Amino acid sequence: MAINSDVLVIGGGLAGLTSALKAAREGADVRLVSYKQSSLRHASGLVDLLGYTPDGEGPVTDPYAAMGDLHDAHPYKTVGVETVREAMGLFDDVTDYRGDHTDTNALVPTHGGTVKPTARYPTGAAAGLASDDRDVLLVGLESMVDFDAPHAAAHLEAAGVPFDVRGETIRFPGDLQADAKITRYAKLLDTNGEVAVRGRKKGARDALAERVNTVREKEARVGFPAILGDDHTDAVRAALEEKIGADVFEVPMGPPSLPGLRLEDRLFEALDESGASFETGNPVVDFDADGDTIETVYIEKNGAKIPNSADQYVLATGGLVGKGIESDRESVHEPIFDCHIEHGEDRYEWFDGDAFGDHPFASFGVETDETLRPLTASDSVEFENLRAAGSVLGGYDFAAEKSGSGVSIATGYVAGENAAAEAR
């Protein structure tokens, strides 16, 4: 017997979660299925709308104003600027992120010493903005080789930030091994668990603050790698601020990312609160259609193919990196519904000879109509009851533009809204 719903969303990343949340808030009975863990845990936790133009100009000051100059095939032009604003309003409603007070991008320092233009950022990153002129101390940990604080500080200075910045490397209290998972640091700080310091037991927060105070001079801000707790990040930061005597912030890191995990948790909580159901860990392997209408998709579970039926479907499985789009030496294709992906017949047309050139493969993806229904090679609708959202879409280079999160939220919002309307 099939599992039935009004709207079935395939994909548990930012686009899929936004789509499912919007459809559920519109009153639809929503089910989300996802094979792999969300890509959010591999992301910085920052939410970018548009950091650079497709021509590489930037950083963009006002992403909404810049959207008007994008080419017609860009997903932002498909959904419209005002709809992007509405979609960000939904995101703001279910998270405690900062940045919703202005249209201007914030400039957030990263662990590599670059400054990233972003539209929304976690509360824990707020004290670190590059627009603030107060001096900064970056603190690295000997056991975390992914964050070289002196190196990052030197790069920030070279980038011309309006403050003095230094980097120091200390040993984390308790001397965790270099291969310790970031969640071990976070758990110790969450619980203020005891660590051994010169033969004496101390709370991890107290011991960490004491070590920072041995290297801090007069900096008004102190930045740590993003490990400051998981469930109680505000409490961890507040305790460190009190004992250090400076504002504390987290520097976004590479994967695995605690800010990304926190965002994923919050969005799944919001989805649960909306009344939607979800299942992760099992792939969609097949589907049935009657002409241009999808009737059933099949999820593989313990060797069995479980039918799931809905009135409307949303495809939010990711792009080339997330395997929502696949390629071999002959072709590029979308693996679930075999939606059309425009690409050159000669694979040497897929990339530029210059390593830093404009590579066509970066914009590979599904093309859609104005309601985000995938189109065939002849521009007819593939399936009347299917919509696509997020990085499975073509027409933009999210890595170069720093637009991935914004496109996922905006197109997920529209796909969910349209699917819910059609399901009624």
Side-chain angles (χ1 to χ4, degrees):
M1 181 178 295
I3 301 173
N4 296 303
S5 58
D6 294 336
V7 177
L8 181 68
V9 178
I10 306 170
L14 192 52
L17 286 164
T18 303
S19 181
L21 184 59
K22 177 58 177 174
R25 288 194 166 197
E26 291 294 312
D29 176 18
V30 178
R31 179 170 170 77
L32 180 147
V33 295
S34 177
Y35 176 28
K36 298 180 179 179
Q37 294 177 325
S38 167
S39 58
L40 286 168
R41 64 187 57 219
H42 302 298
S44 65
L46 303 177
V47 173
D48 311 323
L49 276 178
L50 187 65
Y52 296 86
T53 70
D55 295 329
E57 297 177 0
V60 168
T61 300
D62 183 341
Y64 294 104
M67 288 176 193
D69 296 328
L70 296 172
H71 58 81
D72 289 342
H74 198 288
Y76 281 146
K77 294 299 286 286
T78 301
V79 302
V81 175
E82 289 308 309
T83 301
V84 178
R85 290 184 183 277
E86 292 177 13
M88 293 306 297
L90 173 62
F91 178 85
D92 295 333
D93 188 48
V94 298
T95 69
D96 62 353
Y97 269 44
R98 302 286 187 89
D100 60 330
H101 65 291
T102 178
D103 286 352
T104 301
N105 273 327
L107 299 176
V108 179
T110 71
H111 70 292
T114 61
V115 177
K116 186 176 184 181
T118 191
R120 299 290 189 275
Y121 49 92
T123 300
L129 299 188
S131 54
D132 191 332
D133 62 3
R134 294 177 298 158
D135 293 347
V136 168
L137 171 65
L138 295 179
V139 177
L141 304 174
E142 290 181 2
S143 52
M144 290 190 66
V145 297
D146 289 345
F147 182 42
D148 185 332
H151 175 83
H155 272 256
L156 285 171
E157 281 207 330
V161 292
F163 50 84
D164 290 334
V165 53
R166 292 190 307 117
E168 295 280 358
T169 302
I170 64 173
R171 181 173 295 179
F172 189 88
D175 301 334
L176 270 68
Q177 296 178 353
D179 60 352
K181 294 182 179 180
I182 59 170
T183 49
R184 285 198 63 195
Y185 298 94
K187 184 66 173 179
L188 271 173
L189 293 169
D190 256 344
T191 61
N192 200 24
E194 287 189 341
V195 294
V197 180
R198 291 189 293 275
R200 299 179 58 188
K201 297 288 187 179
K202 291 187 177 182
R205 300 176 189 177
D206 302 324
L208 180 57
E210 287 177 7
R211 290 198 173 176
V212 171
N213 284 333
T214 65
V215 297
R216 176 176 168 252
E217 295 176 356
K218 296 181 179 179
E219 293 90 356
R221 299 184 287 165
V222 178
F224 293 86
I227 59 165
L228 302 184
D230 190 7
D231 298 323
H232 306 291
T233 55
D234 291 343
V236 172
R237 276 198 330 278
L240 292 174
E241 287 176 342
E242 179 183 356
K243 296 177 187 306
I244 295 171
D247 284 346
V248 167
F249 64 93
E250 288 187 317
V251 178
M253 300 288 291
S257 164
L258 269 178
L261 284 165
R262 295 172 194 146
L263 178 57
E264 177 187 56
D265 288 344
R266 177 58 204 129
L267 292 175
F268 270 106
E269 287 172 5
L271 188 59
D272 189 39
E273 291 163 3
S274 75
S277 63
F278 47 86
E279 176 183 334
T280 61
N282 300 297
V284 173
V285 293
D286 201 358
F287 74 100
D288 290 333
D290 181 6
D292 62 1
T293 301
I294 299 169
E295 294 190 326
T296 305
V297 300
Y298 294 91
I299 297 172
E300 185 176 343
K301 188 172 184 179
N302 299 324
K305 291 170 62 174
I306 309 300
N308 283 245
S309 294
D311 293 327
Q312 299 289 318
Y313 298 83
V314 176
L315 179 69
T317 45
L320 284 166
V321 175
K323 300 300 183 181
I325 298 172
E326 295 183 349
S327 66
D328 53 33
R329 298 186 66 86
E330 304 298 330
S331 65
V332 182
H333 61 284
E334 184 277 306
I336 293 180
F337 299 108
D338 196 26
C339 294
H340 172 68
I341 307 288
E342 185 68 30
H343 62 280
E345 292 186 9
D346 186 342
R347 65 190 301 269
Y348 290 99
E349 298 175 4
W350 302 354
F351 55 87
D352 192 286
D354 182 352
F356 298 100
D358 295 326
H359 298 286
F361 70 78
S363 299
F364 283 169
V366 173
E367 297 178 8
T368 72
D369 68 3
E370 66 278 1
T371 69
L372 299 180
R373 293 180 300 181
L375 298 175
T376 67
S378 59
D379 290 335
S380 61
V381 171
E382 293 259 15
F383 298 102
E384 290 290 341
N385 61 339
L386 175 67
R387 285 166 178 81
S391 53
V392 75
L393 296 171
Y396 74 117
D397 183 347
F398 69 87
E401 296 172 4
K402 308 302 180 194
S403 62
S405 297
V407 168
S408 289
I409 291 170
T411 58
Y413 179 94
V414 171
E417 182 176 54
N418 290 334
E422 292 294 327
R424 291 179 185 143

